[in-house]
Amino acid sequence: MAKRSKKKNPNALTQQQKADIQFNKTLDLKKTALDIRLNIALGIVVGLCIIAFLIMPALNMNFSSALSEILDYEIQEAEDDPTFAITVNMSMLDFLTASSGGYEDAIDYISKNTNSSIDPQIISAAFAQKITTEDINMLKDAYTVALIISALWLLSWVVLLCAVCAYRSKNKDGVFLLLSVAAFALVSAIQWIVFVIVGAASAGRAGIQPHIASYLILASAITATVVYGLYRKKIKKINGQRKPVAIAAEDVKSEK
């Protein structure tokens, strides 16, 4: 009986190729884990920011005045001269919609949107006695800047949302996502800085400062930037570790 000759398959995978393929599969698992973390982080950021935009106040304004200052005459007894305080909180949505409310000026808005039970006309009269035209113009300028920033922030959020939906649903990355995260972080930082500047400019007249939404938006932007930055760094490292494996198509099918 003739002995059958054994021919070596030239396309057979070597041990090294098998090891390289397994190594690359391990890297793919690491990339998948990073994709999941980034998707969760960006999803939380997008969700929290729109809630902050719609519901939470971004700017807090506190005004206080003694009764004698409101009535414009001196009261001898301290107990007969109580201090009246009013608080006004504005969200970014408020900045976008306040001008459509029919208010005459910033003072009219503040008087009608406080948490105080004092009649708005009394509040407005008290402001009229103590706030100059220069102060009113400063509030108008601050509102205008806050209005522009609120619109820019909303636009940056929409762009980020579009980038997340377009790329992260397929676990992809790209320049559009990079620029959207950068723009979102920049505008988020600017809004907080502007509110701090407004507060510093109002020192001595009122207590104005960033509020919960402003801090939350800033924190979300920082989180998105850090997580996305680490993601790109680690993905670049993973891609650099991949082993090149040159194999025939039929061998790839057999390995699967």
Side-chain angles (χ1 to χ4, degrees):
M1 186 174 180
K3 186 177 181 180
R4 182 179 296 178
S5 62
K6 294 183 179 179
K7 292 184 179 180
K8 185 178 180 180
N9 182 5
N11 293 324
L13 294 175
T14 65
Q15 289 299 116
Q16 183 60 47
Q17 287 176 319
K18 291 180 179 179
D20 290 344
I21 291 174
Q22 187 60 42
F23 181 77
N24 288 342
K25 287 182 178 179
T26 302
L27 293 180
D28 288 337
L29 291 176
K30 290 182 180 180
K31 181 182 181 301
T32 300
L34 291 174
D35 284 329
I36 293 174
R37 291 175 189 174
L38 178 62
N39 293 345
I40 292 175
L42 291 179
I44 292 175
V45 165
V46 168
L48 284 180
C49 284
I50 196 59
I51 291 174
F53 184 88
L54 293 173
I55 301 174
M56 299 178 181
L59 186 67
N60 172 263
M61 295 178 282
N62 292 291
F63 304 91
S64 61
S65 179
L67 178 62
S68 58
E69 293 177 339
I70 295 176
L71 299 178
D72 202 21
Y73 69 79
E74 185 177 350
I75 296 179
Q76 299 296 329
E77 299 294 332
E79 58 269 19
D80 295 329
D81 190 17
T83 298
F84 292 93
I86 59 174
T87 299
V88 181
N89 292 319
M90 294 185 71
S91 68
M92 287 190 168
L93 182 62
D94 290 331
F95 286 113
L96 290 177
T97 58
S99 60
S100 62
Y103 303 105
E104 295 180 6
D105 52 33
I107 302 306
D108 187 36
Y109 178 88
I110 290 173
S111 301
K112 295 177 180 178
N113 290 276
T114 70
N115 65 345
S116 173
S117 59
I118 303 175
D119 189 285
Q121 292 183 351
I122 297 176
I123 297 175
S124 181
F127 274 120
Q129 291 180 9
K130 299 302 174 183
I131 294 184
T132 64
T133 302
E134 181 182 351
D135 295 330
I136 294 177
N137 290 334
M138 184 193 74
L139 284 172
K140 287 181 178 179
D141 293 340
Y143 168 78
T144 301
V145 173
L147 172 63
I148 294 172
I149 290 176
S150 297
L152 289 176
W153 185 88
L154 181 59
L155 177 62
S156 70
W157 180 87
V158 171
V159 171
L160 177 64
L161 177 61
C162 292
V164 169
C165 292
Y167 283 94
R168 298 316 304 164
S169 60
K170 301 176 182 178
N171 287 333
K172 292 183 178 180
D173 191 8
V175 176
F176 182 39
L177 182 60
L178 173 63
L179 293 178
S180 67
V181 172
F184 174 77
L186 178 62
V187 180
S188 296
I190 289 175
Q191 62 84 22
W192 181 81
I193 292 172
V194 166
F195 291 150
V196 170
I197 293 174
V198 170
S202 67
R205 300 180 182 88
I208 301 179
Q209 60 184 355
H211 206 20
I212 182 171
S214 181
Y215 284 102
L216 181 59
I217 289 172
L218 178 62
S220 297
I222 293 173
T223 300
T225 303
V226 171
V227 172
Y228 182 59
L230 291 175
Y231 170 83
R232 287 181 67 93
K233 181 179 179 180
K234 292 180 179 180
I235 290 297
K236 183 178 180 180
K237 183 178 178 181
I238 287 175
N239 291 336
Q241 292 176 336
R242 289 190 179 279
K243 305 289 186 180
V245 182
I247 56 178
E250 57 268 23
D251 295 316
V252 175
K253 293 179 181 178
S254 64
E255 276 296 305
K256 291 181 179 180

